[in-house]
Amino acid sequence: MSTATPGTAATTDRASADRTGARTEEAADVITGARERIDALDDRIIGLVQERMAVSAVIQEARITSGGRRVNLSREMEVLGHYREALDRPGTALAMTLLELCRGRV
């Protein structure tokens, strides 16, 4: 037997719709589940970016220690091209952000 007061389910449905922008409980459930998946993917992406930053620092230190420059522009152009080919123009912006995050960590 349910102990919910009248209107509680409607209030819950409205709150769920407010959080998701959905107009039905079914759509709100789909959106909530998909957002949880996106949050998990974002956590993995952040971890991979942090790992990339650490590897980049190793490369930069080796390059500087050997008398080279901190940044290798031809390699950066390769990275930009790779992201552009895979993700079109927004890929270039993403690669630029990654390169910026990975520079100067030595």
Side-chain angles (χ1 to χ4, degrees):
M1 174 174 258
S2 175
T3 59
T5 56
T8 302
T11 302
T12 302
D13 290 347
R14 274 193 301 266
S16 181
D18 288 345
R19 283 192 311 276
T20 64
R23 296 194 177 244
T24 66
E25 185 176 346
E26 212 174 284
D29 290 344
V30 169
I31 292 167
T32 298
R35 284 183 177 169
E36 289 170 0
R37 178 77 173 124
I38 285 175
D39 290 345
L41 289 168
D42 285 344
D43 288 342
R44 289 174 48 200
I45 290 167
I46 290 167
L48 289 170
V49 169
Q50 290 169 333
E51 183 178 349
R52 188 188 197 288
M53 291 167 66
V55 172
S56 182
V58 169
I59 292 168
Q60 289 176 48
E61 184 167 343
R63 192 180 301 123
I64 290 169
T65 301
S66 71
R69 302 180 78 186
R70 179 175 55 87
V71 175
N72 182 329
L73 295 179
S74 64
R75 172 62 181 154
E76 288 195 357
M77 293 306 293
E78 288 177 24
V79 171
L80 289 169
H82 179 70
Y83 276 78
R84 184 178 52 251
E85 287 174 20
L87 302 170
D88 295 320
R89 187 175 179 168
T92 303
L94 177 58
M96 289 295 294
T97 300
L98 284 171
L99 291 170
E100 181 180 345
L101 284 167
C102 293
R103 286 186 197 121
R105 299 292 182 197
V106 173

